[in-house]
Amino acid sequence: MAFFLETLLGGLMAGMLYSLVALGFVLIYKASGVFNFAQGAIGMVATYCFWELHDNHHLPFAPAFVASVALGGILGGIAYQVVMRRLRSRSLLVQLVATLARGQQTEQVVVKSYPLRNAGASRIAEALQAVLAQGGG
């Protein structure tokens, strides 16, 4: 019964996340007329901002959350002004390529800003070893 409840809750959580992503795509498309594939990259930047402020600079949860949401909104506004508004009259293929490129560019900025450090990699390896030692894999 516990396995069933875990599976049910996991499925519900995944479904809720998928619906939020879909709502984001629809909202952006209806507002701008462009299907934006860079929304995940903007969300990733906001998440890294929250992590940086909360975990590394020890800012309380609420101010770190507000700052990261504000940064996501600012980046979304900049993306709309710089990329999306100009793409409205372009073909669907041009819109697709431009938003994919913008997303890749944003992701690469984050990857270059936060390289995988040995300490982080060893913590991940230790966590995996602990899970395997408990019989979780």
Side-chain angles (χ1 to χ4, degrees):
M1 185 65 172
F3 176 74
F4 173 75
L5 289 176
E6 281 183 33
T7 306
L8 179 69
L9 288 176
L12 287 173
M13 297 286 276
M16 286 188 278
L17 287 174
Y18 288 142
S19 68
L20 282 175
V21 170
L23 283 172
F25 279 125
V26 169
L27 180 67
I28 291 170
Y29 180 75
K30 290 291 185 180
S32 67
V34 176
F35 197 73
N36 185 12
F37 284 104
Q39 91 174 27
I42 293 171
M44 180 185 65
V45 170
T47 303
Y48 268 94
C49 173
F50 175 81
W51 172 72
E52 181 73 33
L53 292 174
H54 188 272
D55 288 355
N56 293 342
H57 296 291
H58 309 292
L59 202 64
F61 180 88
F65 181 77
V66 169
S68 63
V69 169
L71 177 67
I74 290 168
L75 288 176
I78 291 170
Y80 175 75
Q81 291 295 327
V82 173
V83 177
M84 311 247 305
R85 206 167 59 161
R86 297 177 183 174
L87 291 176
R88 237 183 190 168
S89 61
R90 304 296 174 119
S91 71
L92 184 61
L93 181 63
V94 171
Q95 293 175 6
L96 174 75
V97 171
T99 59
L100 282 171
R102 183 69 184 141
Q104 287 295 313
Q105 182 184 33
T106 304
E107 288 174 13
Q108 288 304 309
V109 167
V110 171
V111 166
K112 298 292 184 197
S113 300
Y114 293 97
L116 184 61
R117 296 181 181 98
N118 290 334
S122 65
R123 280 186 290 195
I124 292 170
E126 289 170 6
L128 286 174
Q129 288 173 352
V131 168
L132 292 175
Q134 293 175 351

